[in-house]
Amino acid sequence: KQTLAGSLAEEGLALSRKLKDKKLIIEALLPLGFVVQNQGDYARAGALLEEKLALSREVGEKWDVARALVLLGNVALNQKDYVGARVRYEDGLTLSREIGHRLFIAIFSNNLGHVALNEGNYTAARELYTEAMLLAQEVGSDRYMMIHLVGWAGLARALGQLERATRLSGAVEALREYIGSRLEQEEQVEHERTISAARSGVDEAIFNQLWREGLAMTL
């Protein structure tokens, strides 16, 4: 699927450039940047998304600026460049508050939570994840509730609360199956890290019981 998505995205960008339509180019750069990032080519993904960011600012498309910033932040986060990720996410959060887009406020808050978590700033991570979770609940997005639960589970893991981390990870899996959606790359890495730590630190029988409790949790 990644190969098909990549070839279609490449074709879309090529056609948009041929038409010399900036708005079409802006739209075409996003899926290609996303696919290339998931393939691990962070250099090319960064270049594509930087072009999208520049063109979006040029034509005054704030929504597209925000979309470029979140993916550029993700590129940095996936390379463990936490300073670079924070800059992109903070810029995106400021813009999202300016345009009043609650879901994007939730996304940027959540991703800044990931940065804080990886830097060991657990108080900031808790505050950011809380804001993200409440906003996702407010707008009724099960998908983003799932994504934010990954952060909560990671925070529990970092604080040594492995039983809580196990339950929350089980809840993530239940939501993922319910909505039929996968996690983004940065969330998947965090999710697997938490599960691995929980399996290593919790007795197998207890882990399985806690996991089942997580699967059965309501929102």
Side-chain angles (χ1 to χ4, degrees):
K1 290 181 181 179
Q2 287 284 339
T3 302
L4 176 59
S7 63
L8 290 170
E10 294 277 13
E11 183 180 0
L13 180 58
L15 289 170
S16 300
R17 292 196 192 284
K18 187 174 181 180
L19 291 169
K20 299 180 180 179
D21 185 317
K22 287 184 179 179
K23 289 193 175 182
L24 282 179
I25 293 171
I26 288 169
E27 283 300 315
L29 285 165
L30 184 79
L32 183 56
F34 183 78
V35 170
V36 169
Q37 179 191 178
N38 283 340
Q39 292 172 339
D41 189 348
Y42 296 121
R44 188 178 181 214
L48 290 165
L49 294 167
E50 288 286 4
E51 182 183 359
K52 176 181 175 63
L53 179 62
L55 285 173
S56 299
R57 283 174 168 161
E58 182 183 326
V59 302
E61 293 287 350
K62 291 184 178 180
W63 162 249
D64 281 302
V65 170
R67 291 201 293 173
L69 286 169
V70 73
L71 287 185
L72 280 166
N74 293 351
V75 168
L77 182 64
N78 286 321
Q79 296 179 91
K80 296 182 170 56
D81 175 11
Y82 302 126
V83 173
R86 187 190 308 107
V87 169
R88 297 300 191 180
Y89 293 148
E90 287 179 345
D91 285 350
L93 182 58
T94 298
L95 178 60
S96 298
R97 293 194 194 284
E98 178 186 322
I99 62 179
H101 198 294
R102 290 181 297 171
L103 191 53
F104 257 80
I105 294 171
I107 293 169
F108 283 114
S109 295
N110 179 74
N111 290 10
L112 280 167
H114 291 341
V115 172
L117 177 62
N118 280 283
E119 291 180 329
N121 190 344
Y122 303 142
T123 299
R126 183 186 299 278
E127 292 172 355
L128 288 158
Y129 287 145
T130 298
E131 179 175 17
M133 182 68 79
L134 291 173
L135 282 168
Q137 189 174 27
E138 187 179 312
V139 300
S141 173
D142 287 348
R143 171 170 169 71
Y144 284 100
M145 288 287 285
M146 173 187 70
I147 287 172
H148 304 330
L149 277 174
V150 172
W152 276 113
L155 180 58
R157 178 203 70 230
L159 293 171
Q161 301 167 354
L162 294 182
E163 292 189 358
R164 174 177 167 81
T166 303
R167 284 195 194 91
L168 290 174
S169 295
V172 169
E173 283 300 310
L175 260 177
R176 186 186 62 76
E177 184 174 341
Y178 172 70
I179 63 180
S181 178
R182 68 178 183 82
L183 293 167
E184 302 298 349
Q185 183 181 6
E186 49 280 0
E187 271 80 35
Q188 185 63 39
V189 168
E190 192 66 44
H191 185 46
E192 291 175 359
R193 182 181 173 191
T194 298
I195 293 172
S196 177
R199 285 191 180 279
S200 298
V202 178
D203 177 81
E204 183 178 359
I206 294 174
F207 176 92
N208 291 336
Q209 175 60 33
L210 294 168
W211 186 265
R212 287 192 296 270
E213 290 175 10
L215 291 174
M217 286 174 71
T218 64
L219 283 177

